[in-house]
Amino acid sequence: MSSIPSFTGDASPYGGGDPYADYRTADFPFTQYADLADRRLGAGVIAANDEFFAERENLLKPEAAEFDPEHFGHKGKIMDGWETRRRRGVSAQQPHPTEDDHDWALVRLGAPGVVRGIVVDTAHFRGNYPQAVSVEAASVAGSPSPEELLADDVKWTTLVPRTAVGGHAANGFAVDVEQRFTHLRVNQHPDGGIARLRVHGEVAPDPAWLGVLGTFDLAALENGGRVEDASDRFYSPATNTIQPGRSRKMDDGWETRRRRDKGNDWIRYGLVAESEIRAVEIDTAYLKGNSAGWAALSVAAEGSEEWTEILPRTRLQPDTNHRFVLDTPAVGSRVRIDIYPDGGISRLRLFGSLTDAGTARLTARHQELGG
């Protein structure tokens, strides 16, 4: 676990113009993983000890933080993030907060999983960001209340120890804790503001729940599906294709740049475990002049590059959900969709159930992670 050292220290005062002109960030390797704290997965900031200047819910907004230098309210400058009041000591003789004083927020992950990296983004917090942050995680079954999470019998595991951070910057922390977590406690020392929180990791679903469902979407992010790789991510990430619900606008799907060669674009997926696929949906919602022309699907075993076609190259219509029932269930752990020649799709749904081997492997993994 480490931070990005160059991001500690002061940020420059806002000098006008583009508020992001001097924003500090980097390419964090763990951002290849899904954001377990994505609101689309059902994540939420369920409690905070203080949110005097700006509401805790802002932490999980999907879009980048905005800044309006002239936007003030009755309590002061309105910031697009979570901001607490300034802490004070106990007396005139002791005016400063103690070393242990801090503010906290409780975050319910949208999908329980293994955290691989965390981004604490202090965008636009220049003179009012925390001196340091720390992040803890817990695994609590069901739908616990804030009071239940704060009870003495809940075990919290440190993911990010108390570490200095920089203002107006994306502060990244790699995490190496091989456990399944459901909730986080984000601490800022001693006070201040955080614009956004991103929790990148691998979804670790409950095999008992999937077993009760029987037939479900084997590629869905919330069920443990993932994108392994994609030929092109120019306009939007391939992970959008396995997000919950229908696409609501064009950039809520996957769209590639225009090809000027004779190749084609593709996405490779890892399913939750070895499965039997019986039905397929390929949705091109909101992709009208830029939807894929044709699509084909292939399946492979875990770790194999031997692909078996299960849906031959098929014409797609713009802004349309296409449904296909397979004549024979397709068994595998990986799926590849090829689109021709380029363009995009909004969602891919693969309906079926786990094989006995898939159930056994998923159950063993769940136990390994402390589930």
Side-chain angles (χ1 to χ4, degrees), residues 149-347:
L149 287 170
L150 295 172
D152 293 339
D153 60 344
V154 174
K155 177 186 175 184
W156 290 92
T157 300
T158 297
L159 302 186
V160 179
R162 183 168 175 165
T163 307
V165 293
H168 196 45
N171 300 273
F173 305 89
V175 176
D176 186 19
V177 180
E178 202 69 16
Q179 294 181 45
R180 177 183 186 267
F181 295 112
T182 60
H183 294 79
L184 298 187
R185 184 162 60 191
V186 181
N187 306 303
Q188 49 179 338
H189 308 266
D191 54 36
I194 299 170
R196 297 289 187 268
L197 176 74
R198 303 293 184 238
V199 184
H200 297 280
E202 300 176 62
V203 176
D206 182 352
W209 173 253
L210 296 182
V212 169
L213 293 180
T215 296
F216 58 93
D217 183 356
L218 304 160
L221 190 60
E222 60 190 319
N223 294 332
R226 64 195 183 281
V227 168
E228 293 182 344
D229 201 2
S231 61
D232 187 292
R233 299 178 176 88
F234 190 82
Y235 286 113
S236 46
T239 302
N240 280 353
T241 61
I242 54 175
Q243 289 281 3
R246 299 294 183 191
S247 176
R248 294 173 296 173
K249 52 182 180 174
M250 190 173 73
D251 66 351
D252 194 18
W254 172 60
E255 181 188 0
T256 71
R257 73 189 81 196
R258 300 188 188 212
R259 277 192 170 266
R260 301 308 187 201
D261 58 23
K262 299 301 181 183
N264 74 283
D265 289 315
W266 50 266
I267 304 175
R268 287 202 310 266
Y269 301 91
L271 305 183
V272 55
E274 184 183 79
S275 308
E276 285 190 354
I277 305 167
R278 294 188 288 273
V280 174
E281 285 188 3
I282 303 174
D283 197 352
T284 59
Y286 292 97
L287 296 163
K288 299 180 179 179
N290 51 355
S291 66
W294 293 263
L297 277 179
S298 302
V299 68
E302 182 74 26
S304 172
E305 292 297 333
E306 295 185 13
W307 296 92
T308 301
E309 189 174 76
I310 61 173
L311 181 70
R313 195 177 303 189
T314 302
R315 185 78 170 103
L316 299 181
Q317 299 298 325
D319 194 27
T320 300
N321 189 29
H322 309 76
R323 290 180 170 176
F324 308 94
V325 176
L326 303 183
D327 294 334
T328 303
V331 178
S333 302
R334 307 171 70 210
V335 166
R336 172 176 169 140
I337 185 168
D338 286 271
I339 63 170
Y340 301 88
D342 56 24
I345 61 172
S346 63
R347 295 290 187 270

Side-chain angles (χ1 to χ4, degrees), residues 3-17:
S3 65
I4 307 300
S6 61
F7 291 172
T8 58
D10 293 335
S12 300
Y14 175 61

Side-chain angles (χ1 to χ4, degrees), residues 1 13 15 22 39 41 53 62 78 93-95 175 179 201 210 221 235 300 303 337 368:
M1 194 287 306
D22 59 342
R39 284 287 299 169
L41 291 174
F53 285 115
I78 295 177
Q93 289 70 38
Q94 296 178 332
V175 176
Q179 294 181 45
L210 296 182
L221 190 60
Y235 286 113
I337 185 168
E368 290 172 3

Side-chain angles (χ1 to χ4, degrees), residues 46 108-109 112 139-145 148-149 180 182-183 206:
I46 61 176
R108 180 190 63 244
L109 297 180
S139 182
V140 182
S143 304
S145 67
E148 290 170 326
L149 287 170
R180 177 183 186 267
T182 60
H183 294 79
D206 182 352

Side-chain angles (χ1 to χ4, degrees), residues 49-54 72 75-77 79 82-90 94-98 101-103 125-131 188-193:
N49 72 303
D50 186 282
E51 47 187 330
F52 186 87
F53 285 115
F72 286 82
K75 293 182 179 180
K77 181 74 184 72
M79 298 293 291
W82 168 49
E83 185 181 5
T84 66
R85 73 192 77 201
R86 300 189 188 213
R87 280 186 172 270
R88 296 291 185 250
V90 295
Q94 296 178 332
H96 301 101
T98 70
D101 285 343
H102 67 278
D103 293 319
F125 287 93
R126 295 172 179 270
N128 50 351
Y129 58 94
Q131 181 184 41
Q188 49 179 338
H189 308 266
D191 54 36

